[in-house]
């Protein structure tokens, strides 16, 4: 019954269905999770097992290692290196974040850092080493062995590039799902949708690389490497989003946002590298496409592709799981006809 005689409660029941109410509550929880995750991860950075190599004579080295590892909160993981050249190689191979080179002929030592791997990590290492040196009446000068590019002043270009790729991945998968049904109708439709995602991923990889490279001159490194990485990141995120939609319908979009935005972004190591993140975000960061992609992008841009194998393997695994779950969902429960969007 409609018309002016209907009461407010009756109109409210018609206007707000239980499904709509549950979706609104879910959005509220997602919003609160967003705030909790970002503030929780980034509000109080503190070093944890920040790797610092020590180059010093045998009679001095153990004392410096012990001094670094005595910093409260398990802040430093100290190792030794045979020479300044070996320490520099460890930094460029991304095995350590910094290196303290002891000067046996004077009172000024050298701290080698890599701003390109994370300015916050370099700052934290400088603060820790400066405190140790002052306690021994020595001084330290800082040398950046892997500096940031001129167009990447804060070292965040790799992070924002990958975040942009992730956003494109889950948005295009969401749009394909909303426009044609969350779960593909059959195997052929699933393959078509995944094929469209693959073409989109390549276009996004090329476009993002052009923007951060020739257009803005923000990142150095191999352009083809970045194109390949971007294509893989977009496809992996999009495939997982398709899989979540196939399993959970429109709720799958919210789960993708939870995974890639609420959890993935603050744990990716963009603003603060993993040793400066709280335990939860430090543990999950490198296993989510956001973090794996950021690690790989930095490696391509600044470190010649060192230590890139694991991030690429993680991204490939996400892509394979997304494809497999999407196909299995279609095979087990195909749709017939075209379903209207709820």
């Amino acid at each position: 019954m409609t018309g002016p005689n209907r009461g407010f409660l009756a109109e409210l029941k018609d206007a707000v269905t239980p499904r709509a109410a549950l979706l609104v509550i879910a959005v509220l929880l997602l919003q609160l999770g967003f705030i909790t995750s970002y503030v929780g991860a980034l509000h109080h950075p503190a070093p944890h097992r920040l790797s610092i190599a020590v180059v010093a004579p045998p009679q001095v080295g153990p004392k410096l290692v012990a001094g670094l590892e005595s910093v409260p909160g398990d802040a430093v993981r100290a190792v030794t290196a045979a020479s300044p050249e070996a320490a520099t190689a460890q930094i460029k191979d991304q095995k350590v974040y910094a290196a303290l080179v002891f000067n046996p002929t004077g009172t000024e030592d050298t701290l080698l850092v890599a701003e390109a791997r994370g300015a916050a990590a370099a700052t934290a290492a400088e603060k820790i080493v400066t405190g140790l040196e002052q306690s021994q009446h020595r001084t330290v000068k800082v040398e950046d062995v892997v500096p940031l590019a001129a167009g990447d002043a804060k070292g965040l270009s790799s992070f924002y590039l990958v975040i942009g790729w992730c956003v494109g991945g889950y948005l295009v998968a969401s749009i394909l799902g909303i426009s044609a049904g969350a779960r593909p109708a059959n195997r052929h439709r699933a393959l078509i949708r995944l094929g469209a995602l693959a073409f989109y991923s390549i276009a996004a990889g090329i476009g993002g690389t052009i923007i951060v490279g020739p257009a803005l001159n923000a990142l150095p490194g191999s352009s083809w490497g970045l194109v390949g990485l971007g294509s893989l990141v977009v496809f992996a995120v999009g495939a997982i989003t398709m899989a979540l939609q196939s399993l959970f319908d429109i709720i799958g979009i919210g789960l993708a946002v939870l995974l890639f935005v609420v959890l993935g972004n603050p744990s990716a190591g963009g603003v603060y590298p993993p040793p400066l993140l709280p335990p939860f975000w430090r543990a999950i960061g490198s296993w989510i496409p956001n973090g794996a992609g950021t690690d790989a992008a930095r490696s391509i841009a600044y470190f010649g592709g060192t230590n890139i194998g694991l991030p690429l393997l993680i991204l490939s695994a996400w892509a394979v799981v997304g494809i497999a779950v999407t196909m299995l969902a279609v095979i087990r429960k195909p749709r017939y006809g075209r379903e209207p969007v709820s």
Side-chain angles (χ1 to χ4, degrees):
M1 176 179 176
T2 60
N5 294 327
R6 280 174 58 87
F8 176 78
L9 291 179
E11 292 287 358
L12 181 63
K13 288 181 179 180
D14 279 351
V16 183
T17 64
R19 174 184 169 87
L22 288 175
L23 288 175
V24 169
I25 293 172
V27 170
L28 175 62
L29 294 176
L30 197 64
Q31 179 184 21
L32 297 178
F34 181 97
I35 296 170
T36 301
S37 185
Y38 277 70
V39 177
L42 306 176
H43 78 292
H44 184 58
H48 174 80
R49 295 186 63 77
L50 181 69
S51 52
I52 300 177
V54 173
V55 181
Q59 64 272 23
V60 179
K63 181 180 178 181
L64 290 176
V65 169
L68 288 171
E69 294 196 334
S70 67
V71 177
D74 198 18
V76 177
R77 177 177 64 85
V79 298
T80 58
S83 66
E85 293 76 19
T88 301
Q90 289 186 34
I91 293 174
K92 292 183 177 180
D93 289 341
Q94 302 185 75
K95 295 178 180 178
V96 297
Y97 280 89
L100 173 60
V101 181
F102 181 82
N103 179 11
T105 62
T107 60
E108 184 182 61
D109 300 326
T110 302
L111 177 66
L112 307 178
V113 299
E115 288 274 345
R117 200 175 175 197
T123 300
E126 181 180 355
K127 182 178 179 181
I128 290 169
V129 170
T130 299
L132 175 64
E133 294 283 278
Q134 288 177 347
S135 69
Q136 298 177 0
H137 307 290
R138 298 179 68 85
T139 59
V140 62
K141 64 178 181 179
V142 179
E143 180 180 339
D144 189 357
V145 297
V146 190
L148 292 165
D152 188 21
K154 297 295 183 181
L156 296 175
S157 297
S158 300
F159 170 64
Y160 286 124
L161 173 63
V162 172
I163 296 311
W165 279 331
C166 290
V167 169
Y170 66 74
L171 280 182
V172 73
S174 301
I175 290 171
L176 289 172
I178 291 173
S179 63
R183 187 176 66 253
N186 51 53
R187 287 180 301 168
H188 295 108
R189 295 292 181 88
L191 290 173
I192 291 170
R193 198 177 293 188
L194 288 167
L197 174 63
F199 280 110
Y200 176 90
S201 300
I202 295 171
I206 294 172
T209 300
I210 290 174
I211 290 171
V212 301
L216 299 179
N217 197 29
L219 286 180
S222 168
S223 295
W224 286 114
L226 288 176
V227 168
L229 173 65
S231 302
L232 181 57
V233 168
V234 176
F235 187 84
V237 172
I240 287 294
T241 303
M242 283 188 183
L244 291 171
Q245 288 178 285
S246 297
L247 294 176
F248 304 106
D249 196 61
I250 195 172
I251 296 175
I253 298 176
L255 294 176
V257 172
L258 173 65
L259 177 61
F260 300 121
V261 179
V262 175
L263 297 177
N265 285 354
S267 66
V271 179
Y272 298 119
L276 272 70
L277 292 173
F280 173 75
W281 290 270
R282 184 170 63 244
I284 67 172
S286 61
W287 300 101
I288 300 177
N290 312 51
T294 299
D295 289 343
R298 280 179 174 159
S299 180
I300 292 170
Y302 290 108
F303 296 95
T306 60
N307 281 354
I308 201 173
L310 182 59
L312 293 182
L313 182 62
I314 291 170
L315 290 168
S316 300
W318 280 98
V320 170
V321 169
I323 294 171
V325 172
T326 299
M327 297 303 296
L328 287 174
V330 171
I331 292 170
R332 292 190 62 182
K333 193 176 179 182
R335 288 191 298 115
Y336 298 97
R338 187 179 180 86
E339 295 179 1
V341 178
S342 299

